[in-house]
Amino acid sequence: MRISHLASRALSALGSSVLALVAWQLAVSRPAAQSLTFARGQNVSPAFEGWEQAADGHRYFVFGYLNRNWEEEIEVPIGPDNTFSIGGADRGQPTHFLPRRNRFVFRVPVPDGFAEKDELIWVVTTKGKTEKAYATLRPDLFIDDIVRASEAGALGPGFTNERVVSNKPPSVRVEGSTQRQVRVGQPLSLVSVVTDDGIPKRVDPARLAPLLAGGTRPEGPGGSGQGPGETDGTAPSNALAWNLLMTPPVRPTVRKVIGLHLSWFVYRGAGGLTFNPGQIEPWEDTRNGANSPWAALWFAPEFPRDDKTTTTVTFTKPGEYVLRALADDGALTGSQDVSVVVTP
């Protein structure tokens, strides 16, 4: 929600207690209809996340989407049902839409000569419904890394400080060619090398083990003062950490567990494949027990010391695929795509 990071930035000087009250009031005022969910049968809505400016001065529109289903993944080929109003149908958008909310999925260079009043429109038609995302250069829609982290649910009101602001996104490099060919049923090995600055620190489940084993909330408003991650603004106290883990979400944005991890998923292609090992969900799966940074009691596994992970993918149907490796430190992400031609 746009209001989440704008309100947080505008009110940060007023203190965490005021921000917490504002967040609570926003949360409890949400319509009850938002609790209605569907496993399948619903459509996909494209989303304009905002625009950003790179260090070299180039500007980009950033898009994501909402697949209104909790289980159904929808395929929409490039063409009239998945197109843009300017610059041709293919602007690097996904054709395979994962469930639920997926933020900051891809970006499109701002066309030359674009003014604040101009619009770039992403049009997606699914389940007989056409929805559009309107990208503009309005100043209030500018985004940076703090906005990204806040919108992802990694930053809580009042927890931002200079060390968090210094966080840089992780990078991922897939060893070997980014153009592969494989047969149906033939395992394909993908080795990824991830580098990161170590900010924010991983949430350590060992720190919460006594709380979870005891089944009781720690005494006092601040507990021991040692949070589940680090005491640099990303880590609330034990008492607050207990509340974050053991109570349903009430903030207008999702909560996210910090910690570097890697996820492979289908970016383009009709599905019909399996990953081994099973991958951490890159979408906002808030269900209890989900293998997702947005799920209660989830913790990022310790990342290999050599920064390498090996994933095997096996396809069950021929076709052309784009697989994405997404490195996520809990706040910011980096990615690399691999194109795979699968033959019978």
Side-chain angles (χ1 to χ4, degrees):
M1 293 178 62
R2 179 65 49 184
I3 191 172
S4 65
H5 68 259
L6 291 180
S8 179
R9 295 173 106 181
L11 296 175
S12 59
L14 298 181
S16 60
S17 60
V18 175
L19 286 168
L21 177 60
V22 171
W24 176 80
Q25 289 175 332
L26 288 171
V28 298
S29 64
R30 289 179 294 175
Q34 291 188 5
S35 63
L36 188 61
T37 61
F38 300 87
R40 53 187 62 252
Q42 303 303 301
N43 71 313
V44 171
S45 178
F48 173 54
E49 311 288 8
W51 63 276
E52 62 185 7
Q53 185 164 320
D56 60 7
H58 288 91
R59 297 176 298 179
Y60 297 87
F61 290 131
V62 182
F63 294 89
Y65 61 86
L66 169 65
N67 176 349
R68 291 187 167 89
N69 304 292
W70 279 93
E71 295 181 4
E72 185 178 4
E73 301 181 10
I74 297 178
E75 177 70 16
V76 189
I78 301 297
D81 290 340
N82 187 359
T83 189
F84 276 85
S85 60
I86 300 174
D90 192 347
R91 305 304 302 271
Q93 70 268 37
T95 66
H96 188 87
F97 294 87
L98 301 173
R100 303 304 295 167
R101 187 69 164 98
N102 290 259
R103 303 173 193 262
F104 309 109
V105 176
F106 70 102
R107 65 182 191 174
V108 177
V110 175
D112 293 338
F114 235 56
E116 185 179 326
K117 63 180 177 60
D118 296 323
E119 294 178 329
L120 175 67
I121 307 172
W122 183 22
V123 184
V124 178
T125 301
T126 54
K127 308 293 184 180
K129 297 180 180 180
T130 297
E131 297 204 36
K132 303 177 181 180
Y134 297 84
T136 75
L137 288 172
R138 280 174 37 187
D140 61 315
L141 296 178
F142 175 77
I143 59 176
D144 57 17
D145 285 346
I146 293 298
V147 172
R148 285 175 174 265
S150 177
E151 290 293 295
L155 296 181
F159 293 144
T160 302
N161 65 17
E162 292 182 1
R163 187 155 194 260
V164 178
V165 172
S166 69
N167 180 31
K168 302 300 181 184
S171 64
V172 56
R173 175 179 59 85
V174 180
E175 292 187 342
S177 174
T178 57
Q179 306 286 330
R180 308 287 183 94
Q181 183 169 321
V182 69
R183 293 178 178 273
V184 169
Q186 177 185 356
L188 174 64
S189 181
L190 300 168
V191 179
S192 309
V193 181
V194 176
T195 57
D196 186 50
D197 59 5
I199 303 173
K201 288 184 179 178
R202 167 179 172 263
V203 171
D204 186 356
R207 283 193 169 184
L208 289 177
L211 301 180
L212 300 178
T216 58
R217 174 181 171 176
E219 295 180 359
S224 66
Q226 297 298 312
E230 56 183 324
T231 56
D232 65 351
T234 62
S237 67
N238 272 346
L240 183 53
W242 178 261
N243 288 333
L244 293 178
L245 289 168
M246 302 307 294
T247 59
V250 293
R251 279 172 40 190
T253 56
V254 292
R255 297 190 185 100
K256 189 178 183 184
V257 178
I258 58 177
L260 182 65
H261 58 279
L262 180 79
S263 299
W264 280 96
F265 62 94
V266 180
Y267 188 75
R268 289 186 173 185
L273 55 84
T274 56
F275 291 105
N276 185 26
Q279 299 297 290
I280 298 169
E281 301 286 9
W283 54 276
E284 293 177 10
D285 191 348
T286 58
R287 295 172 295 182
N288 290 336
N291 187 13
S292 161
W294 294 274
L297 302 182
W298 182 90
F299 297 98
E302 289 194 60
F303 213 80
R305 292 187 177 183
D306 62 358
D307 298 327
K308 288 187 178 183
T309 64
T310 300
T311 302
T312 300
V313 57
T314 305
F315 297 85
T316 61
K317 61 177 67 173
E320 296 183 3
Y321 297 79
V322 175
L323 306 181
R324 173 161 293 181
L326 184 72
D328 187 340
D329 67 11
L332 303 176
T333 63
S335 66
Q336 183 172 13
D337 293 345
V338 174
S339 298
V340 183
V341 175
V342 182
T343 58

